[in-house]
Amino acid sequence: MRSHGTALSIGALFGAGLVVSGMAVPTRVIGFLNVAGAWDPTLLFVMASAVGVYALVSPRVLRRQKPLFSESFGIPKNRKIDRDLVLGAALFGVGWGLAGYCPGPALVALGAPSSEVVTFAVTMTVGMLLHSAMKKEPKAEPLVAASTPAE
Amino acid sequence: MGSSSFLPALFGGALLGAAGVLLMWTHGRVLGISGIYGGALGRAPDRSFRLAFIAGLVASGMVAHWLLPTAPLGRSPTPLAIVAVAGLLVGFGTRLANGCTSGHGICGVSRVSVRSLVATGVFMALGMLTACMVHAVLGVRS
């Protein structure tokens, strides 16, 4: 399907961007995050360039009637700054600072499998599944059912 | 910073931005890797789209590795046990925050979304704090 071929190509383009920019090399990312060490500002320029292109061009895309392969543009509508957002970002930040991987670079680097990146990818997947499982869980029921006989 | 990484950084970053724009144009979606990957793990109806995208992502890594086998692609200097913990934190945290460096940091920031600006500020700050501490305590050289 043309839609899937396009998705694959865009994924590959994004991956190429990660590789070319150096963001798929954790030591470079840690070099940026470790502001107390020999600071490597590369990530700043990568983000600035990415944001620059996206900010400049996406408004023009959004003026179109509809995307090529779907019915409407999906921009997140949630505007709340809530605990989940802040806590989630904090947990993510800690994980990112520890190993120097975030989801995109980790997946790209699976193309060059190493024990580090495979370990990360596996536990990242587990972490995501854990979140899904917790989200589905209803509020804890009382431990004692109404009709439990007295002990 | 070596001058050698400045132009590739700008060019690579532009590719990231371009990919984001293209995804919005073709599929009307925010390019957020944690969202695309996380959603693929569940029973999302658009699973095949997600798998195709991720396949492209991994394939580009494979090509890069084939072209430059000695490049330190994805080799974290952090001890494996800590890498494992980092993965859990990144997996759980990105889903809780509904985004990561691509979804919030690039797409959300470009839209001047307050949620994304806050999220990005928080994960950047915590990332920096953590990296500084890890470097000091573990002597992880970057």
Side-chain angles (χ1 to χ4, degrees), chain B residues 38-99:
Chain B
L41 299 175
R43 289 174 202 278
D46 54 358
R47 203 144 184 246
S48 50
F49 154 81
R50 294 168 184 274
L51 294 175
F53 182 90
I54 293 162
L57 201 55
V58 177
S60 68
M62 290 171 73
V63 170
H65 182 54
W66 174 65
L67 289 172
L68 299 158
T70 54
L73 203 64
R75 302 298 306 253
S76 173
T78 308
L80 220 54
I82 300 183
V83 168
V85 172
L88 283 173
L89 291 170
V90 168
F92 191 87
T94 53
R95 295 300 275 158
L96 193 61
N98 199 35

Side-chain angles (χ1 to χ4, degrees), chain A residues 60-124:
Chain A
R60 319 184 90 230
V61 169
L62 291 171
R63 280 199 281 271
R64 300 173 64 83
Q65 268 211 320
K66 69 182 251 336
L68 277 187
F69 296 116
S70 70
E71 289 316 303
S72 62
F73 293 107
I75 307 285
K77 290 191 173 50
N78 185 6
R79 289 170 184 279
K80 276 195 327 202
I81 313 292
D82 56 16
R83 185 208 63 164
D84 281 359
L85 181 79
V86 177
L87 180 62
L91 293 173
F92 166 47
V94 172
W96 190 33
L98 282 175
Y101 296 114
C102 58
L107 292 174
V108 171
L110 282 179
S114 59
S115 43
E116 297 88 6
V117 77
V118 171
T119 302
F120 184 87
V122 168
T123 60
M124 179 180 81

Side-chain angles (χ1 to χ4, degrees), chain A residues 24-68:
Chain A
V25 178
T27 45
R28 268 212 180 279
V29 172
I30 291 173
F32 169 80
L33 292 173
N34 181 16
V35 293
W39 191 53
D40 180 351
T42 304
L43 191 147
L44 195 63
F45 291 104
V46 178
M47 294 291 278
S49 180
V51 168
V53 169
Y54 196 92
L56 273 172
V57 187
S58 62
R60 319 184 90 230
V61 169
L62 291 171
R63 280 199 281 271
R64 300 173 64 83
Q65 268 211 320
K66 69 182 251 336
L68 277 187

